[in-house]
Amino acid sequence: RKEVEQDPGPFNVPEGATVAFNCTYSNSASQSFFWYRQDCRKEPKLLMSVYSSGNEDGRFTAQLNRASQYISLLIRDSKLSDSATYLCVVRYRHSGSARQLTFGSGTQLTVLP
Amino acid sequence: IAGITQAPTSQILAAGRRMTLRCTQDMRHNAMYWYRQDLGLGLRLIHYSNTAGTTGKGEVPDGYSVSRANTDDFPLTLASAVPSQTSVYFCASSDSAGTQYFGPGTRLTVL
């Protein structure tokens, strides 16, 4: 079983739609959680961190459920520019490095005009 | 230089050849990382370095070596390339909060 699992999609949604992605993680010692965005053939970039109380950044809302070990990302009022792959990322303390990240394989989103 | 740079952008390599992928950052981050990204598998950590002078193995270290002689540079070497090392390679560094910043990647094809 992968440590971080995501539905690979693809999700094809019309402009203006609301779309949600879920992600589950297997290591209960996980400490920090993030969503990264990756455009086609580009490097991943941090979209937002995920806090236990949930957090919002404009049209993006991230939530964490530690008891169920899942993370979600909600995108409201989708724009064409939101088309990308969204990576769920978990950090937990490894024996060698405290700051290693484990990446999900990503969920592909295409927003259609 | 702003952020992280990687070189080359892409490379086609014959199997058995030695290859070094370069990575340089100007953010004075202590920690640096090398990942490979393959379709359906996501990003997998090859090697990391918590600070200059130290390195560690990640999830998929076999066939790769790294060095960290100074804060800015973190080269990745394939001693004898094999076709299974065909991939996109990303270098990253992390700030004191643990946020990772990635370079633009190197597309490597081993024939």
Side-chain angles (χ1 to χ4, degrees):
Chain A
R1 183 186 173 190
K2 292 182 182 177
E3 290 187 40
V4 179
E5 296 210 51
Q6 297 181 247
D7 181 344
F11 284 66
N12 298 318
V13 303
E15 262 188 298
T18 295
V19 61
F21 307 137
N22 291 326
C23 163
T24 58
Y25 60 94
S26 60
N27 191 327
S28 59
S30 298
Q31 297 177 312
S32 306
F33 309 89
F34 310 89
W35 284 101
Y36 274 70
R37 170 192 169 128
Q38 187 173 24
D39 294 293
C40 186
R41 302 176 75 86
K42 300 284 189 181
E43 71 272 25
K45 293 183 179 179
L46 178 66
L47 177 66
M48 60 195 302
S49 301
V50 186
Y51 303 117
S52 298
S53 56
N55 49 297
E56 192 173 301
D57 183 2
R59 298 181 292 108
F60 298 84
T61 300
Q63 291 193 314
L64 167 65
N65 185 320
R66 284 189 183 271
S68 301
Q69 295 182 202
Y70 83 77
I71 308 148
S72 65
L73 177 68
L74 182 76
I75 305 175
R76 293 182 300 278
D77 189 22
S78 300
K79 311 292 185 190
L80 296 176
S81 58
D82 293 335
S83 297
T85 296
Y86 291 83
L87 305 175
C88 176
V89 184
V90 173
R91 183 173 76 206
Y92 60 96
R93 186 170 292 275
H94 289 251
S95 58
S97 169
R99 298 190 182 281
Q100 286 184 21
L101 303 180
T102 300
F103 289 78
S105 53
T107 297
Q108 185 181 339
L109 171 67
T110 300
V111 181
L112 305 169
Chain B
I1 296 176
I4 300 180
T5 58
Q6 292 183 236
T9 301
S10 65
Q11 182 75 45
I12 299 173
L13 189 66
R17 297 296 296 270
R18 181 184 179 88
M19 176 74 191
T20 295
L21 308 185
R22 300 184 298 280
C23 174
T24 299
Q25 54 108 355
D26 65 354
M27 298 177 283
R28 308 304 293 172
H29 290 165
N30 284 324
M32 297 187 74
Y33 313 84
W34 273 105
Y35 295 90
R36 60 178 290 174
Q37 187 174 35
D38 303 290
L39 193 64
L41 294 177
L43 284 148
R44 292 182 292 169
L45 183 66
I46 304 171
H47 284 287
Y48 65 90
S49 170
N50 285 335
T51 189
T54 69
T55 63
K57 294 182 179 180
E59 180 185 354
V60 288
D62 294 343
Y64 306 95
S65 63
V66 292
S67 61
R68 188 84 185 279
N70 57 61
T71 298
D72 298 346
D73 302 300
F74 191 42
L76 176 74
T77 298
L78 289 68
S80 179
V82 295
S84 61
Q85 292 178 310
T86 294
S87 188
V88 180
Y89 291 86
F90 289 103
C91 179
S93 67
S94 61
D95 61 18
S96 57
T99 300
Q100 290 196 10
Y101 302 86
F102 287 81
T106 293
R107 295 185 174 277
L108 181 67
T109 301
V110 182
L111 301 176

